[in-house]
Amino acid sequence: MAIPEQIREMAAERRAMAERLAIFDANLWLGRPTGFPLAKELSAAELRSTLAEYWIRGGLVSHWDSRRLSAQDGNRALEGALSGLPPECGIVW
Protein backbone atom coordinates (compact mmCIF):
# COMPACT_ATOMS: atom_id res chain seq x y z
CA MET A 1 0.00 0.00 0.00
CA ALA A 2 1.51 3.31 -1.07
CA ILE A 3 1.74 6.10 1.46
CA PRO A 4 -0.19 9.15 0.27
CA GLU A 5 1.97 12.18 -0.48
CA GLN A 6 0.25 14.26 2.22
CA ILE A 7 1.30 11.75 4.91
CA ARG A 8 4.86 11.72 3.59
CA GLU A 9 4.96 15.53 3.76
CA MET A 10 3.56 15.52 7.31
CA ALA A 11 6.19 12.98 8.40
CA ALA A 12 8.99 15.05 6.86
CA GLU A 13 7.69 18.18 8.59
CA ARG A 14 7.55 16.35 11.94
CA ARG A 15 11.13 15.08 11.51
CA ALA A 16 12.36 18.59 10.69
CA MET A 17 10.61 20.05 13.76
CA ALA A 18 11.98 17.32 16.05
CA GLU A 19 15.53 17.83 14.76
CA ARG A 20 15.35 21.50 15.82
CA LEU A 21 14.50 20.59 19.43
CA ALA A 22 17.34 20.50 21.93
CA ILE A 23 16.13 17.65 24.15
CA PHE A 24 18.48 16.76 27.00
CA ASP A 25 17.61 13.53 28.83
CA ALA A 26 18.59 13.59 32.51
CA ASN A 27 17.78 9.91 33.07
CA LEU A 28 19.67 7.60 30.69
CA TRP A 29 20.66 4.15 31.96
CA LEU A 30 23.24 1.69 30.69
CA GLY A 31 23.32 -2.04 31.39
CA ARG A 32 20.70 -4.63 32.21
CA PRO A 33 17.50 -3.02 33.60
CA THR A 34 16.21 -3.97 37.02
CA GLY A 35 12.56 -3.62 37.99
CA PHE A 36 11.46 -2.07 34.70
CA PRO A 37 10.20 -4.89 32.45
CA LEU A 38 9.68 -2.64 29.41
CA ALA A 39 13.18 -1.13 29.56
CA LYS A 40 15.75 -2.62 27.19
CA GLU A 41 19.40 -3.23 27.92
CA LEU A 42 21.60 -0.48 26.50
CA SER A 43 25.35 -0.35 26.03
CA ALA A 44 27.53 2.73 25.63
CA ALA A 45 28.07 1.74 21.99
CA GLU A 46 24.30 1.71 21.35
CA LEU A 47 23.67 5.01 23.12
CA ARG A 48 24.53 7.29 20.18
CA SER A 49 22.06 5.60 17.82
CA THR A 50 19.38 5.54 20.52
CA LEU A 51 19.81 9.28 21.12
CA ALA A 52 19.54 9.95 17.38
CA GLU A 53 16.44 7.75 17.07
CA TYR A 54 14.57 9.89 19.61
CA TRP A 55 16.17 13.24 18.65
CA ILE A 56 17.89 13.59 22.01
CA ARG A 57 20.91 15.92 21.90
CA GLY A 58 22.61 14.71 25.09
CA GLY A 59 22.00 13.44 28.57
CA LEU A 60 23.10 12.26 31.97
CA VAL A 61 23.99 8.58 32.14
CA SER A 62 23.76 6.16 35.07
CA HIS A 63 24.31 2.40 35.20
CA TRP A 64 21.79 -0.18 36.37
CA ASP A 65 24.50 -1.89 38.44
CA SER A 66 24.32 1.05 40.86
CA ARG A 67 20.69 0.15 41.54
CA ARG A 68 20.95 -3.61 41.24
CA LEU A 69 24.26 -4.14 43.10
CA SER A 70 25.82 -1.07 44.73
CA ALA A 71 26.84 2.50 43.98
CA GLN A 72 30.46 1.36 43.74
CA ASP A 73 29.62 -1.34 41.17
CA GLY A 74 27.64 1.18 39.14
CA ASN A 75 30.57 3.61 39.20
CA ARG A 76 32.97 0.88 38.06
CA ALA A 77 30.63 -0.01 35.20
CA LEU A 78 30.46 3.66 34.19
CA GLU A 79 34.26 3.94 34.26
CA GLY A 80 34.38 1.09 31.77
CA ALA A 81 31.84 2.84 29.54
CA LEU A 82 33.44 6.31 29.56
CA SER A 83 35.40 5.92 26.33
CA GLY A 84 32.31 4.73 24.42
CA LEU A 85 29.95 7.50 25.50
CA PRO A 86 29.04 10.32 23.11
CA PRO A 87 30.68 13.63 24.08
CA GLU A 88 27.21 15.17 24.60
CA CYS A 89 26.65 12.87 27.57
CA GLY A 90 27.79 13.22 31.14
CA ILE A 91 27.82 10.53 33.78
CA VAL A 92 26.11 10.44 37.16
CA TRP A 93 28.36 8.92 39.80
Side-chain angles (χ1 to χ4, degrees), residues 12-75:
E13 182 180 322
R14 180 178 179 271
R15 266 192 304 280
M17 286 175 30
E19 289 170 355
R20 287 192 301 268
L21 294 175
I23 297 173
F24 186 88
D25 192 330
N27 197 25
L28 299 168
W29 289 80
L30 298 180
R32 186 169 46 107
T34 302
F36 291 86
L38 298 179
K40 73 173 202 159
E41 186 168 348
L42 186 65
S43 71
E46 297 168 315
L47 187 57
R48 187 180 305 279
S49 62
T50 301
L51 295 176
E53 180 181 352
Y54 295 103
W55 300 298
I56 299 171
R57 301 291 172 130
L60 298 176
V61 182
S62 298
H63 200 284
W64 283 106
D65 284 357
S66 62
R67 180 181 163 111
R68 185 170 51 88
L69 302 173
S70 71
Q72 293 83 1
D73 289 312
N75 290 346

